Amino acid sequence: MAATRAPWIHSAPSPTLEAERSSVHVPSRLFLKPRRKALVLAFVRAGGTGGDGSLLNSTGSSIDLNRSSLDSSSEFASKDPSTLPRPLSRVDLSGGGNGSRLRVAYQGLPGAYSESAAAKAYPNCEAVPCSTFENAFEAVEKWNVDRAVLPIENSLGGSIHRNYDLLLRHKLHIVGEVKYAVCHCLLANHGVKLEQLQRVLSHPQALAQCEHTLAKLGVVRENVDDTAGAAKFIADNKLEDAGAVASSLAAELYGLNILARDIQDDSDNITRFLMLAREPIIPGTEKPFKTSIVFSLEEGPGVLFKALAVFAMRDINLSKIESRPQQNRLLRGAEYDGKYGSNCFDYLFYVDFESSMASSVAQNALKHLKEFATFLRVLGSYPMDTSQA
């Protein structure tokens, strides 16, 4: 049965930048490019309830815009609205939607920094430990928990690339962010002196963030899966020659002594966490919002410059850009005959920009980007964390 053409879709050229600036009307239509009859990104507000950080059709379901879906002859298939995600309200985001206590997944054991970040994001939540980042994503998808709070970047250690890859692999929505100040402590069993330590266990990033302190001690550094796990291992095995880099909460939970506090090399040690949910949040314009997207481009001179220019020409600030090689893609080389270099990777670009998808300026920027992007997905449009870490 052929798909019925949605009534708000019509063929029209993309508006010029001057037209965008002079217009005060927020578009509620999806435009088609006449050349390819491909969907171009827009934001749909249906029934007065608004859209989300992802692209929405009239029923509220998210649309991933890739080349295969754009070139399809059918534009939309009818879906039952009752089976689609319900966009979250601002009350839902804070965890007080129906008075129930939210279950929030984090990676690590009790006492991990991620547990503290989850408590900051959702006060009074029930924090649920997961052994891996992927387990946390799956826990939300399988309805075992309501949310997940996972790290995405650290001011000293940089990006957590694994979670960028998992954002693309899974269909969760970013509904918020929280910044958490990390204060590393050197822990050991009671009675163990600092000069007795021969090795120190912790997560690789935690060890790297305390490089100077540990170098002065002359200890061997041993990597483990998470900081709280290191503390638990020291306590369970009653080690007298080893310490752990972990939080003061981990010391309290596992009965360890704090030999030294704030041992990180830089006191400005902030980790940014993403709040993830099955449903998107309804974006607004009454407070600062951030939008996260991922896209890919054809290879060629100046293509990335043109992609980023769609934001610059509309005075939209980019707060982060991260490139990741596309997985399961072979190295390119022979087919280009050296025109753009040999053995090139296919890249995905993750971008955070400071604007809400409720804004017509953001909508038009992504519609412009879609004219030459081969793939585009909105990961979320959510309130910025403007508080102190």
Side-chain angles (χ1 to χ4, degrees), residues 54-307:
S54 300
L55 296 180
L56 296 183
N57 60 23
S58 61
T59 61
S61 63
S62 63
I63 306 168
D64 284 343
L65 294 187
N66 53 36
R67 182 61 56 92
S68 60
S69 65
L70 289 175
D71 292 339
S72 174
S73 59
S74 61
E75 285 130 4
F76 283 103
S78 177
K79 292 185 178 180
D80 180 3
S82 65
T83 66
L84 300 171
R86 176 184 63 84
L88 299 173
S89 69
R90 223 56 51 80
V91 176
D92 293 325
L93 183 61
S94 62
N98 55 12
S100 61
R101 190 181 182 196
L102 286 177
R103 288 171 54 82
V104 179
Y106 68 93
Q107 187 275 329
L109 293 177
Y113 294 107
S114 293
E115 181 185 22
S116 299
K120 181 179 180 181
Y122 297 103
N124 302 316
C125 71
E126 179 186 350
V128 179
C130 297
S131 58
T132 65
F133 292 133
E134 185 140 21
N135 290 154
F137 273 85
E138 291 173 350
V140 181
E141 288 183 326
K142 295 178 180 179
W143 295 75
N144 295 327
V145 297
D146 304 294
R147 306 281 191 276
V149 173
L150 298 172
I152 195 66
E153 60 178 330
N154 175 266
S155 58
L156 301 182
S159 299
I160 291 84
H161 296 131
R162 179 60 177 161
N163 282 337
Y164 275 104
D165 296 337
L166 290 172
L167 281 172
L168 188 64
R169 180 180 300 178
H170 296 270
K171 295 296 185 179
L172 299 184
H173 300 266
I174 304 173
V175 296
E177 64 176 2
V178 60
K179 293 178 291 186
Y180 184 79
V182 175
C183 297
H184 290 307
C185 298
L186 182 58
L187 313 181
N189 282 299
H190 289 277
V192 176
K193 305 297 183 182
L194 191 62
E195 55 270 18
Q196 292 178 251
L197 297 183
Q198 297 180 21
R199 55 198 177 110
V200 171
L201 288 65
S202 195
H203 187 277
Q205 279 215 3
L207 293 174
Q209 292 165 14
C210 305
E211 172 69 26
H212 295 161
T213 299
L214 299 178
K216 288 179 182 178
L217 292 176
V219 294
V220 175
R221 280 148 276 187
E222 296 183 9
N223 295 337
V224 296
D225 289 340
D226 66 273
T227 56
K232 186 176 187 300
F233 182 82
I234 296 292
D236 288 349
N237 292 277
K238 298 180 173 54
L239 299 179
E240 296 183 355
D241 67 336
V245 174
S247 66
S248 57
L249 176 60
E252 180 182 341
L253 289 175
Y254 301 113
L256 297 176
N257 182 38
I258 300 177
L259 296 177
R261 294 178 183 269
D262 296 334
I263 64 171
Q264 61 270 11
D265 297 338
D266 193 326
S267 58
D268 186 20
N269 185 12
I270 310 297
T271 298
R272 175 175 166 244
F273 290 78
L274 296 180
M275 301 150 67
L276 304 173
R278 290 179 296 274
E279 306 87 2
I281 184 174
I282 302 171
T285 56
E286 78 286 355
K287 62 192 301 185
F289 260 69
K290 182 182 290 184
T291 299
S292 296
I293 63 173
V294 56
F295 60 90
S296 60
L297 301 167
E298 292 282 7
E299 181 69 20
V303 178
L304 180 58
F305 172 81
K306 289 192 293 184

